Amino acid sequence: MFHLEHIKGCISRDAYQGMHIDRFLFIRLHVTFVDKEGDEHTFEVAKGDNLLDIAQANDVEMEGACGGSCACSTCHVIVEDQDVYDKIPEPDDDENDMLDLAFGLTETSRLGCQVHMTPEIDGLRVKLPNMTRNMQASDFSK
């Protein structure tokens, strides 16, 4: 566990005291993935982490064929709670275009690469769809 006291000798007193005020920077958040078999995997994550990176770092089966550039739908997730879904910033046009290609699209579908963890969605639960389609934007270029 990281403690502010560990860095006390490395920074000025004013900066150290300011870090006590900004403790929220060290808040750990939680997300749960429900995989295709119904098994739950809960992880402690940092503010700003996106679901694709979290899943891949923890060996949760999520492809992310485009590397998180919002150019495919293989990181499609389904947010289980509508109230939590409503706290996530709305998808932009690029994400909506890719979601149109996703298998099993629902009203609470999102691309994992576009959902970044914030304190407002701490405890987020997402279900992985039974299948994914590996169709990328480049498949439709002329």
Side-chain angles (χ1 to χ4, degrees), residues 43 51-60:
F43 305 104
L51 298 182
L52 174 61
D53 290 344
I54 295 166
Q56 290 182 338
N58 291 285
D59 297 323
V60 173

Side-chain angles (χ1 to χ4, degrees), residues 27-31 43-48 117-120 122-123:
I27 290 176
R28 301 306 289 177
L29 306 171
H30 301 88
V31 61
F43 305 104
E44 189 175 81
V45 300
K47 178 180 174 184
M117 292 300 297
T118 65
E120 294 77 24
D122 184 28

